[in-house]
Amino acid sequence: MSRVSVEGLDKSFGGPPVLSAVDLEIEDGDLMAVLGPSGCGKTTLLRIVAGFLHPDGGSVCFDGKPMAAPGVRVPAQHRRVGYVPQEGALFPHLDVRGNILFGLPRAQRTRERLSELMTLCELPQEVAARYPHQLSGGQQQRVALARALAPRPRVVLLDEPFSSLDASLRISAGRAVTRVLRAAGTTAVLVTHDQGEALSLADRVAVMRGGRIAQVATPAELYRAPVDAEVAAFVGGATLLTARLHDGTADSALGTLTVDPRSVRTAGEVTVMIRPEQVRLGSPVGGRPVARVEEVSFYGSFGTVRLVVDGGVEAVARVPSAQMPLVGDRVTVQVVGDVVVYP
């Protein structure tokens, strides 16, 4: 039985639907990332699961017990849900101890429980008497997580918890929170618009667009085999080309490509997905497509290169920094590995 089961969820706020027939199953102990652009409905979904909003239709069940359904509306405070909002939302007038133990009955606000939670969330014991403004951004997030875990919730919901942190701190804070959740064996839902965050932290990823779930898969499955071209372009970046499929290959502006055997097999015009790391660049020689380097973006150990192939087709390559070409260079283009094809 799933720890959290969402079925046929609908929600609007007097205008176009924000959620439409959303189905989602989250297994016990899993970290599920709900990934999508702003306005796709992911935060509304999280708030309905938490009990802050009630759906117009459909149901939410915890361990098979309805929390929200026609005629059923269990209040948020009775759902045993831990909630970590954006920026942590710590109480500025309370110290770390007061923030972590805030939601517990007085009898459970013990020194032992505080120490247990701080150890679990990788917080040094000496910060217990500090106030939020005296903590780093990463420490504030861990205090918010400790507060959410304090009442031993069924599920922890995290709403863009790292969005206010800088890039390097966001990575370390995300890893720390993931370690804590796994150590506690807690079922969790992470809402994010950051694809790197979703792919690196979650057990499974649910991609949302336009109020619907487009695909649910493991990070590796999602990256390697997106359900359609739109998901492919959103998750991980991709070059999408028109090609003609026949006999297990696709003829395109980047040459004849080998097609992933799991892809569509019907001959005719198709769209192929090529990941940046599949595009290899070389010195101009006969027989391969030739392209002009239009833009180079440097990221330290690697860079991305935007190319325009003779004929006007654009492509993106990811290359080691030691092999970075210059803007204006003429290079050959070779695609390695199988490509995914969409009708």
Side-chain angles (χ1 to χ4, degrees), residues 1-10 19-27 30-35 41-46 49 58-63 155 157 187-191 204-208 211-217:
M1 182 182 296
S2 299
R3 172 51 56 102
V4 179
S5 178
V6 173
E7 185 174 345
L9 217 59
D10 296 321
L19 299 177
S20 298
V22 171
D23 296 328
L24 191 61
E25 300 288 332
I26 303 168
E27 302 302 323
D30 269 5
L31 172 55
M32 171 73 78
V34 179
L35 172 67
K42 58 188 186 294
T43 293
T44 298
L45 171 61
L46 198 75
V49 173
S59 64
V60 176
C61 295
F62 290 174
D63 300 318
V155 59
L157 308 176
T187 305
V189 182
L190 166 67
V191 158
R204 291 191 302 150
V205 180
V207 179
M208 286 196 74
R212 296 178 179 272
I213 300 289
Q215 184 175 3
V216 180

Side-chain angles (χ1 to χ4, degrees), residues 123-134:
L123 286 162
Q125 301 294 323
E126 59 265 24
V127 306
R130 295 181 188 172
Y131 287 84
H133 72 275
Q134 297 174 308

Side-chain angles (χ1 to χ4, degrees), residues 86-88 137 140-141 160-167 169-170:
Q86 294 184 29
E87 302 181 16
Q140 289 180 27
Q141 285 299 334
E160 302 268 11
F162 316 116
S163 60
S164 64
L165 305 179
D166 62 50
L169 188 56
R170 190 159 60 240

